[in-house]
Amino acid sequence: MQLKTTTFHYILLLLSALPLIKTTSTSPEKQAESLIKWKDDLSSSSWPPSLLNSWSLTNLNSLCNWTAIACTKTNTVSKIDLSNMQITGTLALFDFSLFPNLTHFNLSGNYFRGPIPSAIGNLSRLTTLDLSGNKFIEESQNQFSGPIPPSIGQLRELQYLDLSANSLNSSIPSELGLCTNLTHLSLSSNNLNGELPLSLSNLKSLVQLDLHNNRFIGQILPSLVSNWTELVSLNLQQNNFGGTISAEIGLLTQLQYLRLYSNEFSGEIPQSLGNLSKLHVLYLFDNHLTGEIPQSLGKLTQLQLLDLSNNHLTGEIPQSLGKLTQLLGLYLKHNHLTGEIPQSLGNLSGLWRLYLSANNFTGVIPRISGLTGLFDLDLSSNSLSGAIPSELRMLTRLQYFNASHNNLSGEIPSALDHMFTLSSYDFSYNKLTGPLPTSGIFNNAPKSAFVGNHGLRSHAEGPTESKSSSTKSKSANKNMVSVFLFSFLGFATVAIAIAFFLMFHKRSKIRPQVIKTSQNFEDYESMILQEEVKFTFREVVKAMDDFHEKHYIGRGGFGRVYKAELESGQVVAVKRLNTNDSNDIPAINLQSFENEIRTLTTIRHRNIIRLYGFSSRRGCIFLLYEYLQRGSLGKALYGVEGATELGWPTRDFEPRLSDFGTARLLSIDSSNWTNIVGSLGYMAPGDR
């Protein structure tokens, strides 16, 4: 097999010869001068120059204190880490021969381009090389492609290997198992296939293994799992792995993150998972798992996220889950679970989201007043009965409540009227009775929230359906129906004629004021926009030349921001969410995502930047905002222009926030989620 792009193969051959290359000594002064020369060749148009201000001739003798630099005991450079600094440039002026003691070289998440010099082979002590997320090329290619060459097995000293987000399309060569010093291995988001070679069982030092979003098949054999006892993170999601989940997985007692979702796993969830006492995230959704939820999961007292949705699980919810007091999200929807919802779940006072929809739960809704941290509660499509408990009013943070498609009876408690945090609710298709609520949060409530409850009645119209109606009234009703049908047919004929006329009336320049959406979340035009918006996402993409760099204006914690000037003269800002930093975004329930965005587009506040809507394209998620000039508050206060542009008299201006309510749509265990994030006036207010 031949590589379409030979650069990758060439690098591996060079690195495999590293022990044969003779090293030379160099002085810290020469290294400092070389780094300054390289820095001067880097573009400063899209990254803050202040990040590397310490790299200067006036600071020549403090090399080891420079930003992104670490040194050996002899004061020569051992580590260069420029990751995620938005740097644009090449490696053409980097003198690899002057850095013989370099062990870590990380340029990931930037905009480096051009070829990777063969002189990289001079780095004879290199243990970590990360060039991912850049634009390195050779001729017209812009991604590594073809197979992973077997020669990779010659990198015996390699500890960190990240080849993610390329176009590699082979199986994993068995020779990779010879790299026994590997602690971090990421091959995610490629087109890799086949089964995992048994030789990977030799990688006993692995701390992180990430193979997600490929086309791997076969079982995860016990002989593999049992040797990976140092693993902290195991990400095998979004593949075609099958068979059962091996009980040997319980040997991985250091594991904190286990993601096996969106595969073809079958059989029961092993009881041995209860041994993983350090586990924070357990994602097994979108598989073919059967049997009951193990009681042993109640031992995972550090667990924060548990998602077993979209499987074929049976039996009841174990009472032991009430011991998971650190739990933030519990997702058990779309299974075949039965029995009553256990009262023990009321112990989960820190729970944010509880999704139990589309099961076969019976009994009453438990008086769940202990769930004081709950934001979302979905009990829809079950067989719950009895009254809606008035104790729901104790859930003072609840924003979303869905109890539709059950057998609930009685009146909707008036105690819910003043739950002003509750912005989305659905009581439809139950057996509720009494007056239709109209006060508090139910003022101007949509009829769809109550449809299918024949016992509900409005104050003016009386009962919506009477079983004691006389024959005369039934006859009158039939006559009214006939009149209505004839009237409707006449009206429909006229409406259709008008519709055809408007469709072919080319002179019309005004777009319909509708909220656009799509069932296909990956469609080019899949979107939700505010009613008053007069543009499409296609027009936005065209205005930015398909996200050309010249329209790039900043970077936030979860993505990049672009400026689009439409033909109409309107200017909008587009934030592209960085799904590589939040791998679980694709796993979000798409209908829930659309519902949340639809709610956020209705928010009106003078201090919140208008969210026009969202769209998805090529697997990415885009948020469209009104555009604000003059950048972010941080740049104005502390940037180059701050001293002259923003004096103290003008610092009393009102702040503007964006990403209001959207940050919580991202992965809760993302490496970014505890940081302050934002860019150029589009800063998330930290709603987590």
Side-chain angles (χ1 to χ4, degrees):
M1 293 180 289
Q2 183 178 2
L3 281 171
K4 294 180 181 178
T5 301
T6 60
T7 304
F8 177 45
H9 199 177
Y10 187 44
I11 291 171
L12 293 177
L13 290 174
L14 284 170
L15 292 178
S16 66
L18 290 181
L20 305 178
I21 298 174
K22 184 178 180 180
T23 63
T24 59
S25 61
T26 186
S27 67
E29 291 78 11
K30 288 183 179 179
Q31 289 184 335
E33 291 173 354
S34 176
L35 289 175
I36 293 171
K37 181 179 179 181
W38 181 45
K39 173 197 169 185
D40 291 341
D41 186 53
L42 303 178
S43 171
S44 61
S45 60
S46 61
W47 59 284
S50 59
L51 288 177
L52 297 182
N53 272 350
S54 57
W55 293 29
S56 68
L57 292 173
T58 59
N59 199 22
L60 202 63
N61 296 324
S62 302
L63 172 64
C64 298
N65 294 323
W66 286 9
T67 301
I69 299 296
C71 290
T72 65
K73 294 180 180 179
T74 60
N75 295 324
T76 57
V77 176
S78 62
K79 181 178 180 180
I80 300 176
D81 187 351
L82 299 178
S83 58
N84 300 307
M85 288 192 178
Q86 304 179 38
I87 297 174
T88 300
T90 72
L91 292 176
L93 295 184
F94 187 91
D95 192 343
F96 291 95
S97 64
L98 293 178
F99 299 90
N101 295 321
L102 196 63
T103 59
H104 293 73
F105 193 41
N106 190 346
L107 304 181
S108 63
N110 287 291
Y111 309 106
F112 284 99
R113 61 188 186 277
I116 302 174
S118 60
I120 198 171
N122 292 331
L123 305 181
S124 59
R125 298 186 180 181
L126 197 66
T127 60
T128 297
L129 174 63
D130 193 346
L131 307 179
S132 62
N134 281 286
K135 298 183 178 181
F136 290 115
I137 60 173
E138 180 182 9
E139 296 178 351
S140 62
Q141 302 296 318
N142 56 18
Q143 283 190 323
F144 293 135
S145 59
I148 300 176
S151 58
I152 197 171
Q154 299 179 45
L155 306 178
R156 305 296 175 85
E157 301 301 318
L158 198 62
Q159 297 178 15
Y160 188 107
L161 179 61
D162 188 347
L163 303 177
S164 59
N166 280 288
S167 299
L168 302 174
N169 58 8
S170 67
S171 59
I172 296 178
S174 60
E175 288 81 359
L176 185 59
L178 298 175
C179 303
T180 54
N181 287 316
L182 275 175
T183 59
H184 293 73
L185 174 60
S186 179
L187 305 176
S188 63
S189 299
N190 281 285
N191 294 311
L192 298 171
N193 52 64
E195 299 185 7
L196 301 186
L198 288 176
S199 62
L200 295 187
S201 62
N202 297 327
L203 307 183
K204 299 179 182 180
S205 299
L206 278 179
V207 173
Q208 178 178 340
L209 177 60
D210 193 345
L211 305 179
H212 83 270
N213 195 18
N214 279 288
R215 295 185 286 117
F216 292 118
I217 61 173
Q219 289 186 266
I220 310 298
L221 298 174
S223 56
L224 284 174
V225 176
S226 58
N227 280 348
W228 294 338
T229 54
E230 299 299 317
L231 273 180
V232 172
S233 179
L234 178 58
N235 301 315
L236 304 180
Q237 70 269 24
Q238 295 170 295
N239 279 287
N240 296 310
F241 289 118
T244 59
I245 299 176
S246 172
E248 279 73 12
I249 204 165
L251 299 174
L252 312 185
T253 54
Q254 302 302 312
L255 209 58
Q256 297 181 21
Y257 303 96
L258 177 58
R259 299 181 180 91
L260 304 180
Y261 64 85
S262 297
N263 277 289
E264 303 294 330
F265 289 115
S266 58
E268 297 187 358
I269 300 174
Q271 290 279 351
S272 61
L273 285 179
N275 298 332
L276 309 182
S277 59
K278 297 183 179 181
L279 207 61
H280 295 322
V281 174
L282 177 56
Y283 280 171
L284 304 180
F285 60 87
D286 287 340
N287 279 288
H288 306 290
L289 300 173
T290 57
E292 298 186 358
I293 300 174
Q295 288 277 353
S296 62
L297 297 188
K299 300 178 182 179
L300 307 180
T301 54
Q302 300 301 311
L303 201 63
Q304 297 178 3
L305 293 169
L306 175 59
D307 196 337
L308 308 179
S309 303
N310 294 83
N311 280 289
H312 308 290
L313 300 175
T314 56
E316 300 183 1
I317 298 177
Q319 291 279 352
S320 62
L321 296 191
K323 300 178 182 179
L324 307 181
T325 55
Q326 301 298 313
L327 209 59
L328 300 176
L330 177 57
Y331 308 88
L332 303 177
K333 61 184 180 180
H334 291 279
N335 278 289
H336 307 295
L337 300 173
T338 56
E340 298 185 359
I341 300 173
Q343 292 280 352
S344 63
L345 295 187
N347 299 329
L348 308 180
S349 59
L351 196 67
W352 289 1
R353 292 181 176 84
L354 177 58
Y355 286 82
L356 304 179
S357 60
N359 280 285
N360 299 309
F361 292 120
T362 56
V364 300
I365 299 177
R367 305 186 185 282
I368 52 178
S369 57
L371 300 180
T372 53
L374 207 61
F375 287 97
D376 298 342
L377 176 59
D378 192 345
L379 306 176
S380 62
S381 300
N382 282 288
S383 298
L384 299 173
S385 57
I388 298 172
S390 60
E391 285 80 1
L392 281 176
R393 73 182 188 279
M394 305 298 292
L395 309 185
T396 56
R397 296 185 178 182
L398 196 64
Q399 298 177 4
Y400 170 77
F401 177 53
N402 192 343
S404 66
H405 294 87
N406 279 287
N407 297 314
L408 300 174
S409 57
E411 298 184 3
I412 297 176
S414 59
L416 307 187
D417 292 356
H418 301 291
M419 291 184 63
F420 293 108
T421 60
L422 191 60
S423 58
S424 178
Y425 45 81
D426 193 344
F427 301 94
S428 63
Y429 297 99
N430 279 285
K431 299 178 180 178
L432 299 173
T433 58
L436 198 67
T438 57
S439 61
I441 64 170
F442 300 116
N443 185 27
N444 297 321
K447 293 182 179 179
S448 59
F450 306 104
V451 69
N453 290 282
H454 300 301
L456 286 177
R457 64 184 186 278
S458 67
H459 294 283
E461 300 174 358
T464 58
E465 181 177 282
S466 174
K467 295 183 179 179
S468 61
S469 299
S470 64
T471 304
K472 181 178 180 180
S473 63
K474 290 181 180 179
S475 177
N477 287 338
K478 290 182 179 179
N479 291 334
M480 291 178 64
V481 169
S482 299
V483 172
F484 173 79
L485 286 176
F486 281 112
S487 300
F488 176 79
L489 288 175
F491 174 81
T493 301
V494 175
I496 292 172
I498 294 174
F500 273 102
F501 173 78
L502 292 177
M503 286 175 60
F504 295 100
H505 189 51
K506 296 183 179 180
R507 296 176 61 185
S508 175
K509 297 182 179 180
I510 302 177
R511 300 182 181 275
Q513 295 186 2
V514 296
I515 297 180
K516 302 179 181 180
T517 186
S518 171
Q519 296 299 321
N520 182 1
F521 192 70
E522 296 299 331
D523 186 19
Y524 183 92
E525 289 295 332
S526 174
M527 64 194 312
I528 292 175
L529 292 177
Q530 290 184 8
E531 292 185 0
E532 64 268 30
V533 169
K534 301 297 191 303
F535 57 82
T536 68
F537 186 61
R538 187 183 298 272
E539 292 176 282
V540 175
V541 173
K542 180 180 178 182
M544 295 185 295
D545 299 320
D546 201 7
F547 294 92
H548 192 278
E549 287 299 306
K550 67 182 181 181
H551 300 285
Y552 167 75
I553 60 174
R555 185 180 183 91
F558 292 99
R560 312 183 77 204
V561 180
Y562 297 82
K563 177 181 177 182
E565 297 185 15
L566 305 178
E567 292 182 356
S568 63
Q570 184 174 4
V571 181
V572 298
V574 184
K575 172 167 276 192
R576 179 169 61 186
L577 296 187
N578 186 347
T579 56
N580 288 332
D581 289 342
S582 191
N583 289 330
D584 297 322
I585 286 182
I588 295 177
N589 180 276
L590 303 183
Q591 186 63 48
S592 296
F593 181 86
E594 289 193 358
N595 288 340
E596 295 224 28
I597 292 295
R598 184 177 286 108
T599 300
L600 293 172
T601 56
T602 64
I603 292 176
R604 300 289 188 272
H605 193 283
R606 66 182 183 182
N607 298 115
I608 296 178
I609 295 175
R610 295 286 298 279
L611 174 64
Y612 290 139
F614 95 101
S615 182
S616 64
R617 179 173 179 246
R618 299 174 183 169
C620 295
I621 295 176
F622 304 90
L623 299 175
L624 280 67
Y625 294 92
E626 65 173 312
Y627 176 75
L628 291 186
Q629 296 181 346
R630 305 184 70 80
S632 67
L633 177 62
K635 179 179 178 182
L637 288 174
Y638 308 113
V640 176
E641 301 172 348
T644 57
E645 275 203 7
L646 192 60
W648 285 109
T650 58
R651 296 190 184 198
D652 294 330
F653 287 168
E654 292 184 353
R656 301 292 296 276
L657 301 178
S658 79
D659 293 342
F660 185 82
T662 60
R664 66 191 183 95
L665 297 176
L666 303 176
S667 174
I668 192 172
D669 60 303
S670 165
S671 60
N672 291 344
W673 82 280
T674 57
N675 296 343
I676 297 176
V677 298
S679 60
L680 290 174
Y682 301 89
M683 181 174 183
D687 44 343
R688 281 198 188 276

